[in-house]
Amino acid sequence: MDDRPEGQARFAASILAAGHGSRMGHVPKAAFRVQGQAILERQVASLRGAGVGEISVVIGPYRAQLEPLVAHCKARLVLNETGSTDVVTSQMAAIQDHYQVHAGHDMLVLLGDLPSLMSSHIQRLTSAWLALARDVHAAVPTHVGVRGHPILLSWEAVKAIAESDRPDEGIRGWLLKNRNRVQFLEMRDPAYVQDVDTEEDLLSVGGIP
């Protein structure tokens, strides 16, 4: 059954910011500043500018640094309380929160270290989503063959992942099992894949280590 309203979609977004930042000196990457703003602030502003009003942020380590930043952004705080920084545990925290709080909404999921995503990038993706066939329940932006973010999931896909008896497989597991329901979208823009893993990456986007 397809739960998406005909001709429209309601979105909520979740930013995954529960990593250790080990390659960046054990500092939360979402708090690094790029052009005067924390990466998390930039992402939240871009989502809101694209019309996505419901935004959550999953955090794990660095709660003392990130919780005030999430509050400043007026986003919903979600804790990854597993003690793991594996991205699957953060995905499942985000999925379960969305399942409980945003029933009927499609979902955008993105990593918390993508500083170059602007509202226009989000809008291009959500517009493409609305134009897809109704049997497509996930969309993944790509740039020259590299998979990026945000990943878009229909409410049906969110429900299936949330109710799965294999939570260890996360979003990737659902995508692999449902290839015929996944659309890869070549966006021809590096912003969708331009993450911050090293100090050099941060400097390249005008950030401050």
Side-chain angles (χ1 to χ4, degrees), residues 14-15 18 56-60 70 75-81 90 92-98:
S14 187
I15 299 170
S56 64
V57 182
V58 180
I59 67 172
V70 174
R76 177 181 176 81
L77 179 70
V78 177
L79 295 177
N80 177 353
E81 299 183 286
S90 290
M92 292 309 298
I95 289 284
Q96 291 295 343
D97 181 74
H98 185 103

Side-chain angles (χ1 to χ4, degrees), residues 162-182:
E163 295 171 359
S164 170
D165 59 2
R166 290 295 308 272
D168 57 304
E169 294 182 344
I171 293 172
R172 180 178 175 82
W174 186 92
L175 296 175
L176 288 171
K177 290 178 178 179
N178 294 272
R179 289 185 177 92
N180 63 328
R181 306 172 87 187
V182 179

Side-chain angles (χ1 to χ4, degrees), residues 87-144:
V87 70
V88 172
T89 63
S90 290
Q91 288 177 357
M92 292 309 298
I95 289 284
Q96 291 295 343
D97 181 74
H98 185 103
Y99 180 67
Q100 295 167 23
V101 177
H102 300 300
H105 287 58
D106 294 344
M107 184 180 189
L108 295 96
V109 184
L110 63 157
L111 300 178
D113 65 346
L114 294 157
S116 299
L117 282 173
M118 299 290 103
S119 295
S120 58
H121 297 114
I122 308 296
Q123 287 171 329
R124 283 178 60 198
L125 189 58
T126 55
S127 294
W129 176 252
L130 292 173
L132 292 174
R134 293 181 62 77
D135 60 352
V136 173
H137 287 276
V140 182
T142 64
H143 175 62
V144 293

Side-chain angles (χ1 to χ4, degrees), residues 6-8 18 21 29 37 39 59-60 62 68 83 89 110 114 127 132 157 166 171 173 189-190 193 198-199 201:
E6 186 71 41
Q8 62 175 332
K29 292 190 285 185
Q37 280 187 309
I39 292 175
I59 67 172
Y62 312 117
T89 63
L110 63 157
L114 294 157
S127 294
L132 292 174
R166 290 295 308 272
I171 293 172
D189 193 309
V193 300
T198 65
E199 184 174 313
D201 293 337

